[in-house]
Amino acid sequence: MDRWIWATKDVKAAEEDRGSVPSVRLYDGEDKTDFDQGHLTFSTHRLKWSDGSKSIELPLKFITNVSVVGAKFTKSAKLILTLSPCTHSREPGPFSQSNVDYVKLSFVKGGHLRAHGLLQGCLEEKRWEKGIIAVQNKPSLLMGGGLVRIEQQLESSRIEADRSINSAFKDIDALMDKAKDMVTLADRIAAKLSDVKTEGDETVELKSALLSIGISNPVTRETHGSGTAYHKSLGSELANMLQEPLRECGGVMSVSEVYCRYNRARGIELISPEDVVNACKTLTPEHHGMELKKFSSGVLVIEGDNFQSIMDNLLATVIANGYVNALALSSIMSIPLMLAKERLAAAEQHGIVCRDETDDGIFFYENRFISV
């Protein structure tokens, strides 16, 4: 952060603003600073950050590299700017020194891809080195150079947009090619590991990671047509993918979880929830070892053909704990709360357990009345 200096309103020679992004937070390396939720403006000579009460700027000449970190579940997307060493004759700024040679720009409300395109364009142009004579960033006049300035800005924006789009699609194409190669490689390694008789922790963990990478050749409308034939092909692919996850979940899995797992395995070939439901409707115990079921509450689940085994496990859990409620069963069996409620309701309907309604809630016990 010691490369940032207090901003001035002076316009540099041949400087032009190229765009701005709101709600940007600044980091000194990995450390969050007090410069939070500010407006970041990109010009041909500098980055300007302001929140209304304080304004700072970073000359582009200090930036040697820019990398992108995508957003995660609880973290916003970021740009990481690698900086050259600070000069001794720099202007005053908010930090006198810093122990790191990079800063982070955190985009709280998005816009990091646009920001990356704007910044890359300014860095490639290097206007601050070439001394290009350009129109100054001042209010345009109604006559003379005003129209020329507007045309230049429009042309500059169009070129920058084309550059950003081309760069994005190149990255996506490269990722798709690499992803297919990685899935193919993972399939080969997983096949070799299946022949390994030693089931150590590391081997099992590696197998699990490889098998969860994805489906190498997913079913699409282009390859399998549309309508019933398409959904049957999806159903067969879905059944093959769900064999192991369904066993891990005790034989029952909600359709919402199926949708998430299936699309994650398909990678970039995503399908709609409606197609997933229609594919699930084609599943039969005879051909796929599972089927779609709808509970009385309206919840849709995929259930294996081992219903009796599911009920036996539930009864064993109830006996081992004396009694359970839906929340306890959900925690013990590691299943969603709604699915735990439905399993208890199904067990009660088949006479396996009986309920006790108290002021503290509903509890389920082993049904001993049937043995009396």
Side-chain angles (χ1 to χ4, degrees), residues 36-55:
D36 191 18
Q37 300 287 339
H39 207 82
L40 189 66
T41 302
F42 299 83
S43 83
T44 54
H45 289 60
R46 53 187 169 171
L47 294 181
K48 295 178 284 187
W49 184 96
S50 176
D51 63 358
S53 61
K54 52 184 178 292
S55 300

Side-chain angles (χ1 to χ4, degrees), residues 218-226 230 266 269:
V219 173
T220 63
R221 293 186 186 275
E222 289 76 14
T223 58
H224 292 76
S226 59
Y230 170 62
R266 288 175 64 91
E269 298 289 349

Side-chain angles (χ1 to χ4, degrees), residues 67-306:
S67 57
V68 181
V69 178
K72 297 182 180 179
F73 184 67
T74 58
K75 296 183 178 180
S76 57
K78 295 178 178 63
L79 294 184
I80 301 178
L81 312 183
T82 304
L83 307 177
S84 61
C86 182
T87 59
H88 296 291
S89 60
R90 72 178 185 89
E91 300 177 43
F95 288 80
S96 59
Q97 64 178 10
S98 176
N99 296 324
V100 293
D101 61 351
Y102 68 96
V103 295
K104 289 185 178 181
L105 311 178
S106 177
F107 297 84
V108 180
K109 296 184 179 179
H112 68 289
L113 293 180
R114 178 172 181 271
H116 182 246
L118 291 172
L119 182 55
Q120 283 292 107
C122 294
L123 291 174
E124 291 172 5
E125 189 174 352
K126 293 187 177 181
R127 177 80 65 89
W128 68 90
E129 289 183 355
K130 299 176 181 179
I132 300 174
I133 299 177
V135 180
Q136 298 297 312
N137 188 24
K138 296 179 181 179
S140 61
L141 301 176
L142 295 177
M143 55 186 300
L147 292 177
V148 175
R149 177 177 179 275
I150 293 174
E151 290 178 353
Q152 288 178 338
Q153 286 186 333
L154 291 175
E155 179 66 15
S156 175
S157 298
R158 184 189 67 77
I159 293 173
E160 185 57 43
D162 289 343
R163 184 187 293 116
S164 298
I165 292 172
N166 291 335
S167 176
F169 276 106
K170 285 181 182 178
D171 292 342
I172 291 175
D173 291 339
L175 178 62
M176 290 173 62
D177 292 339
K178 291 296 182 182
K180 292 178 181 178
D181 294 340
M182 289 301 297
V183 171
T184 302
L185 177 62
D187 288 341
R188 291 204 303 268
I189 297 175
K192 291 181 179 180
L193 284 176
S194 63
D195 298 331
V196 178
K197 295 182 180 180
T198 304
E199 294 293 330
D201 292 341
E202 294 182 356
T203 303
V204 173
E205 184 177 351
L206 180 57
K207 278 186 181 180
S208 176
L210 291 171
L211 293 174
S212 66
I213 286 180
I215 300 171
S216 58
N217 188 25
V219 173
T220 63
R221 293 186 186 275
E222 289 76 14
T223 58
H224 292 76
S226 59
T228 304
Y230 170 62
H231 292 133
K232 285 184 176 180
S233 299
L234 279 180
S236 298
E237 181 180 75
L238 182 62
N240 291 332
M241 190 273 294
L242 285 179
Q243 293 294 337
E244 185 62 29
L246 199 60
R247 281 195 293 269
E248 293 175 357
C249 294
V252 180
M253 186 182 297
S254 65
V255 171
S256 59
E257 185 176 356
V258 170
Y259 170 76
C260 294
R261 284 180 179 246
Y262 190 33
N263 268 320
R264 183 175 66 179
R266 288 175 64 91
I268 59 174
E269 298 289 349
L270 305 181
I271 60 174
S272 67
E274 182 181 3
D275 283 336
V276 171
V277 173
N278 288 330
C280 291
K281 290 179 180 178
T282 66
L283 301 176
T284 60
E286 296 79 13
H287 296 92
H288 305 101
M290 62 189 71
E291 62 180 330
L292 177 68
K293 284 194 174 182
K294 185 176 183 179
F295 288 132
S296 57
S297 63
V299 176
L300 294 174
V301 299
I302 296 296
E303 184 178 276
D305 57 359
N306 55 344

Side-chain angles (χ1 to χ4, degrees), residues 310-323:
I310 296 173
M311 292 296 102
D312 290 344
N313 289 336
L314 188 148
L315 179 58
T317 302
V318 173
I319 294 175
N321 292 273
Y323 62 89

